[in-house]
Amino acid sequence: MKTNQRSKENKLDIRKEKIIQVAHSFFLKYGYENTSLQMIVKETGGSLATIYELFKNKENLFKQSMQFNFRSFVEEFNAALQDNNITQGSMKDFLNTLGVRILEKITSEQSIALHRLIVIEGYKYPELLEIFKNECVEQSIKIFTQKLQDYQTSKELQIGNLKEYIIFFVNTLISPYLWDSITIPNFKPPTKEEIEKKVNQNIEIFMIYTKIKEQ
């Protein structure tokens, strides 16, 4: 009996994740108002009854799809940084690797669509902004701060307020791109060369701001 119950729950979990992923892609492409539950059912199969059973309504499905994406965003970042041992070189090398990865992710087409959606829907659903702040922004800062802590430990440095420095580095790096990507309809993501140039400029500002001496 318990085995059958677990099997049923596993199937529901798989079904729920598929619905969330499809719903998220539709919300990004068409927006909240122009995405219907019927569109999602047509793509995922099943019935409206299943969606109502799992999510109660469209609004809850929307919020859960956003939350799922925020967590995936952070997990991908964490995995990418774990795969690269970025604490062994110089401080500039460390910041370059971190900065390039941030800008590549932030200026991707999917991230731009997500930022626009958050701005549009955040006024109607304030809790969405809170979820974004807690699940995405705060968790990302936590990961970046830990990486700077790892660097500090490996180099036997005393850098200072690590979280403050990371927030300064990230904000000065991404703010212009975030604003432009939201307000310019035909915004074009920066090229690889432009990203490298921006990151190097930001590193110079960061080194002056923190007064960290190159190792």
Side-chain angles (χ1 to χ4, degrees):
M1 193 71 177
K2 289 183 179 179
T3 301
N4 290 337
Q5 180 65 25
R6 282 197 297 270
S7 177
K8 182 179 179 181
E9 290 174 353
N10 289 338
K11 288 181 180 178
L12 278 176
D13 287 341
I14 293 172
R15 182 87 180 139
K16 184 175 183 180
E17 184 171 330
K18 181 179 180 181
I19 292 171
I20 285 175
Q21 289 174 337
V22 170
H24 178 71
S25 66
F26 281 179
F27 287 134
L28 286 185
K29 186 174 182 179
Y30 302 112
Y32 179 79
E33 296 297 338
N34 293 325
T35 296
S36 69
L37 294 181
Q38 287 81 358
M39 290 166 61
I40 297 169
V41 169
K42 184 177 179 180
E43 183 70 20
T44 61
S47 66
L48 281 174
T50 301
I51 290 183
Y52 284 121
E53 178 186 354
L54 293 172
F55 303 100
K56 307 303 181 187
N57 52 48
K58 177 181 169 181
E59 182 178 331
N60 280 334
L61 172 56
F62 174 65
K63 292 173 185 174
Q64 288 193 42
S65 76
M66 292 298 103
Q67 191 170 33
F68 176 83
N69 179 265
F70 299 153
R71 289 177 178 172
S72 297
F73 177 94
V74 173
E75 288 171 1
E76 288 175 14
F77 235 125
N78 191 32
L81 293 177
Q82 292 294 341
D83 288 343
N84 291 274
N85 193 352
I86 63 174
T87 62
Q88 300 305 310
S90 68
M91 171 61 80
K92 289 185 177 181
D93 290 338
F94 167 78
L95 292 173
N96 182 269
T97 301
L98 183 61
V100 167
R101 289 195 174 278
I102 292 172
L103 272 192
E104 286 177 340
K105 186 67 176 177
I106 291 296
T107 58
S108 68
E109 290 185 7
Q110 186 176 31
S111 290
I112 291 170
L114 179 62
H115 298 148
R116 290 173 176 171
L117 188 62
I118 291 170
V119 170
I120 293 170
E121 304 298 343
Y123 289 99
K124 288 184 279 187
Y125 307 105
E127 59 267 47
L128 178 63
L129 297 177
E130 192 66 23
I131 293 172
F132 176 69
K133 178 176 179 292
N134 293 332
E135 298 284 352
C136 192
V137 178
E138 291 295 335
Q139 290 302 313
S140 296
I141 292 297
K142 183 178 179 181
I143 291 173
F144 302 153
T145 302
Q146 183 58 57
K147 278 298 175 183
L148 187 56
Q149 175 65 62
D150 293 343
Y151 182 86
Q152 175 178 253
T153 300
S154 70
K155 298 296 184 178
E156 298 182 351
L157 302 175
Q158 290 299 320
I159 296 175
N161 191 330
L162 302 181
K163 185 175 181 179
E164 175 193 329
Y165 289 166
I166 282 295
I167 290 175
F168 174 83
F169 181 74
V170 172
N171 284 346
T172 54
L173 182 64
I174 70 174
S175 291
Y177 292 102
L178 279 178
W179 178 249
D180 286 349
S181 68
I182 291 170
T183 58
I184 299 176
N186 58 346
F187 172 79
K188 293 182 179 179
T191 64
K192 183 178 180 180
E193 290 73 20
E194 290 170 337
I195 287 176
E196 285 283 357
K197 182 178 179 180
K198 174 61 178 174
V199 170
N200 287 328
Q201 289 174 342
N202 210 65
I203 289 171
E204 294 301 325
I205 295 171
F206 178 82
M207 299 297 281
I208 294 171
Y209 174 75
T210 60
K211 299 178 181 178
I212 297 173
K213 293 184 178 180
E214 180 64 280
Q215 298 297 307

